[in-house]
Amino acid sequence: MRIKINQLLFLVCLFGSIILTGCQKWEDHNDVTDQELKQDLFVQIKGNTNLSKFAELITKSGYDKVLASSRTFTVFAPTNAALASLDAAIIADSAKLSAFVGNHITTQTYFTTGATTQLRLKMLNGKYQNMLNKSIDVATIVEADKYAKNGVVQVIDKMLPVLNNGWEVIQTDASIPALQKNYMLSLFQKMFDPTNAVQIGINQTTGEPIYQPGTDSVTINKFWRSVYDLKDESKQFTLFVLTDAAWTSELNKFKPFCTTLTNNADSTTNFASWAVVKDLAIEGLYNATATTDTVLSKFNVKVPVDKAAIVQTIKTSNGVIYIMNKVDVQPRHKIQPITIEAENYRTTSVDKRGNTYFRDRLNPVTGKIFRDVNVYNHGTVLFNINYRVNEVYSGVKYKAYWVALNDFNGGTAFNQKLAFETPTANTFTLQKADGYTAVNANVYTEVLLGETTLPVYKPVLDVYLTAANSGAAAVNPIVCDYIRLEPQF
């Protein structure tokens, strides 16, 4: 019994010693944490001898006052060794220095433990950096998650230089080939924008406001508006820029598909240039070491990327630019099928909304629900619906199809016409002499209307669905689910 009591007393004493030791260690930990949490970010950075150069830059730029404020920040602080190669011109220029220091500071707190997927952080200078695990851009976080009372310090082994965004590189970098650069810079135009306009009166006839000249428009680039805004720092883009020889080669490839009515060489070159350039950018980063050798443009065009054709890589603040001596896009990939949803028309020859129906139907062939447009008992001779299609190429044959469900006319077929440019044109080869195609009852599949080749490029093509040359209800309906124009190569 005495032995058991002695053993029990020994265990109690041992356990108590462990608790006291653990408490002492926890108190030591708390002392460290408490000291860190009593210091603001700048005091903590200044107290780290390995960050003394960065502390000097913070003071010189005025960011010491920012980091001493009550706001919360994460500071990616480069070591003295990382700053050894910093350009003296940056230190001497207050604007450049402010941008450089601000490129290492972001609002809120970001810990490495919370960066298991890539975070895109907005820095105080307006640029963005990518953080993933213990890395920020190309720098490695060598001392992680160091607390302060108003944020966290991440010590990094490389500085984060301030880079130009993609558009700034196009404008200012002398290594960008001239032909593509000049074309992209030629795409500026003024657009009406009353947001900040100064109103100076009202048009007494129309009742519309009159704005002070020069205040009611903004200058914008067509590439920003229609493709990607390469100035946007919050996103990442990959831009392929062709050498002058490669640009000329692509341009000549697509000129036959961009022929103008007057055979104007400048207009043809302009249309072909747009056809080429609009597919040379993608959203996101293309890694030249990736196994994929094809990317999809915004317009779903397959763009081959021959890694051997990359002659220069330029890193930007919002992506990357590859200068290429070849990008061989195939016409069959660029010139794609055109689908027109018939219910999404632009206008009609006569207002017949009271006779227009938008119908939901189940297609037993595809097993899918579709919506079509049906204009019935409208009483108008040659009534027509207008659509507009952008960028329709010349010199390529298009086959035309529609799905037109006649399930409402008592089993009686009627005729309607698909026409380009004018409502009564006989556009397609398989059409009758009058240009019409029969719409038979209960046909759920595509019907081939014929084929045509446009002699000239159409920046905007008017397409018409035209009813019969009759006022009779059973003779002149219009009905259509969709129209499809399929290029032939």
Side-chain angles (χ1 to χ4, degrees):
M1 178 65 72
R2 183 176 296 166
I3 293 173
K4 289 183 178 180
I5 291 173
N6 288 340
Q7 289 175 337
L8 180 61
L9 289 173
F10 173 76
L11 291 173
V12 170
C13 291
L14 178 62
F15 182 66
S17 175
I18 290 172
I19 291 175
L20 290 173
T21 302
C23 288
Q24 184 61 48
K25 288 181 178 179
W26 183 250
E27 287 174 2
D28 292 344
H29 168 78
N30 282 342
D31 286 342
V32 173
T33 302
D34 289 344
Q35 288 300 317
E36 291 173 341
L37 292 176
K38 289 177 183 177
Q39 299 175 342
D40 63 48
L41 285 162
F42 180 63
V43 170
Q44 189 176 129
I45 291 169
K46 190 166 60 172
N48 187 333
T49 56
N50 198 27
L51 302 177
S52 59
K53 288 185 178 180
F54 189 57
E56 291 174 7
L57 299 180
I58 291 173
T59 302
K60 187 171 182 179
S61 65
Y63 272 105
D64 55 331
K65 300 177 183 63
V66 175
L67 296 181
S69 70
S70 59
R71 295 172 62 195
T72 302
F73 304 95
T74 298
V75 181
F76 297 91
T79 63
N80 293 340
L83 291 171
S85 59
L86 179 62
D87 189 346
I90 294 176
I91 301 174
D93 187 309
S94 59
K96 290 180 179 179
L97 179 60
S98 178
F100 176 78
V101 175
N103 206 43
H104 294 77
I105 305 170
T106 185
T107 56
Q108 303 183 36
T109 54
Y110 294 96
F111 297 95
T112 57
T113 52
T116 53
T117 58
Q118 182 175 281
L119 305 176
R120 190 149 172 83
L121 311 182
K122 185 176 183 180
M123 315 310 283
L124 292 190
N125 67 347
K127 300 288 184 178
Y128 284 73
Q129 301 289 349
N130 295 330
M131 180 181 181
L132 178 62
N133 297 321
K134 289 191 173 183
S135 66
I136 179 80
D137 193 56
V138 296
T140 299
I141 298 172
V142 292
E143 294 181 49
D145 304 335
K146 299 181 71 64
Y147 294 85
K149 74 176 182 180
N150 63 335
V152 61
V153 178
Q154 308 285 4
V155 180
I156 56 178
D157 66 348
K158 294 181 181 67
M159 59 183 170
L160 306 175
V162 180
L163 302 176
N164 283 333
N165 61 46
W167 191 257
E168 290 168 335
V169 171
I170 292 295
Q171 287 181 305
T172 63
D173 195 315
S175 64
I176 298 297
L179 293 182
Q180 182 173 338
K181 172 180 180 175
N182 291 342
Y183 177 69
M184 293 179 73
L185 294 179
S186 76
L187 296 174
F188 284 101
Q189 53 192 213
K190 285 192 174 182
M191 294 186 63
F192 176 72
D193 181 5
T195 306
N196 299 309
V198 177
Q199 185 173 339
I200 58 175
I202 295 178
N203 187 309
Q204 297 302 314
T205 302
T206 65
E208 296 178 347
I210 300 173
Y211 298 111
Q212 180 179 322
T215 68
D216 59 350
S217 62
V218 294
T219 300
I220 194 167
N221 190 280
K222 182 179 179 181
F223 195 89
W224 307 344
R225 180 168 54 90
S226 301
V227 188
Y228 294 115
D229 183 358
L230 300 180
K231 304 188 298 356
D232 188 346
E233 299 278 359
S234 67
K235 297 180 180 179
Q236 293 182 288
F237 306 100
T238 300
L239 176 68
F240 301 100
V241 177
L242 305 184
T243 62
D244 287 351
W247 175 263
T248 301
S249 176
E250 284 297 285
L251 201 61
N252 289 336
K253 183 194 302 180
F254 287 101
K255 278 184 178 180
F257 302 106
C258 298
T259 303
T260 58
L261 180 62
T262 58
N263 200 25
N264 184 304
D266 289 340
S267 295
T268 297
T269 297
N270 187 52
F271 291 139
S273 296
W274 179 249
V276 171
V277 82
K278 69 188 182 71
D279 293 312
L280 294 179
I282 62 169
E283 187 169 350
L285 292 179
Y286 176 77
N287 190 336
T289 63
T291 56
T292 178
D293 59 1
T294 303
V295 297
L296 283 179
S297 76
K298 178 180 180 178
F299 306 99
N300 207 36
V301 172
K302 292 181 180 180
V303 180
V305 183
D306 181 355
K307 298 175 181 62
I310 299 174
V311 297
Q312 186 179 351
T313 301
I314 302 174
K315 185 178 178 182
T316 70
S317 63
N318 60 348
V320 63
I321 293 175
Y322 293 109
I323 298 178
M324 314 284 293
N325 62 22
K326 182 179 71 171
V327 174
D328 187 15
V329 178
Q330 296 301 304
R332 69 179 182 276
H333 293 149
K334 188 178 290 287
I335 302 173
Q336 299 184 348
I338 298 168
T339 299
I340 301 170
E341 294 293 339
E343 69 272 20
N344 299 329
Y345 56 85
R346 174 177 169 268
T347 187
T348 58
S349 58
V350 182
D351 184 355
K352 291 293 179 179
R353 282 175 286 184
N355 303 92
T356 302
Y357 308 94
F358 301 100
R359 314 183 309 165
D360 291 327
R361 292 288 190 267
L362 174 65
N363 189 321
V365 177
T366 65
K368 295 180 179 180
I369 293 175
F370 66 92
R371 172 167 288 190
D372 68 7
V373 62
N374 174 216
V375 189
Y376 184 72
N377 197 24
H378 52 81
T380 302
V381 172
L382 297 175
F383 174 81
N384 59 81
I385 298 175
N386 170 259
Y387 306 89
R388 279 193 169 172
V389 181
N390 296 325
E391 299 174 11
V392 184
Y393 293 95
S394 62
V396 59
K397 183 182 293 183
Y398 287 93
K399 283 190 174 181
Y401 303 82
W402 68 31
V403 172
L405 177 59
N406 172 9
D407 62 349
F408 59 88
N409 206 34
T412 302
F414 58 90
N415 295 315
Q416 63 186 23
K417 175 191 293 190
L418 181 68
F420 287 176
E421 302 198 75
T422 61
T424 57
N426 297 342
T427 303
F428 299 97
T429 55
L430 295 184
Q431 291 176 329
K432 300 175 185 177
D434 59 4
Y436 282 87
T437 300
V439 182
N440 295 314
N442 300 315
V443 177
Y444 287 86
T445 55
E446 286 188 342
V447 173
L448 175 63
L449 309 178
E451 55 189 35
T452 191
T453 302
L454 290 177
V456 295
Y457 173 85
K458 291 292 181 180
V460 177
L461 175 66
D462 281 302
V463 178
Y464 295 89
L465 271 178
T466 303
N469 189 11
S470 168
V475 177
N476 70 357
I478 282 182
V479 69
C480 193
D481 172 16
Y482 67 84
I483 299 158
R484 185 167 66 86
L485 306 175
E486 182 74 33
Q488 305 299 300
F489 292 97

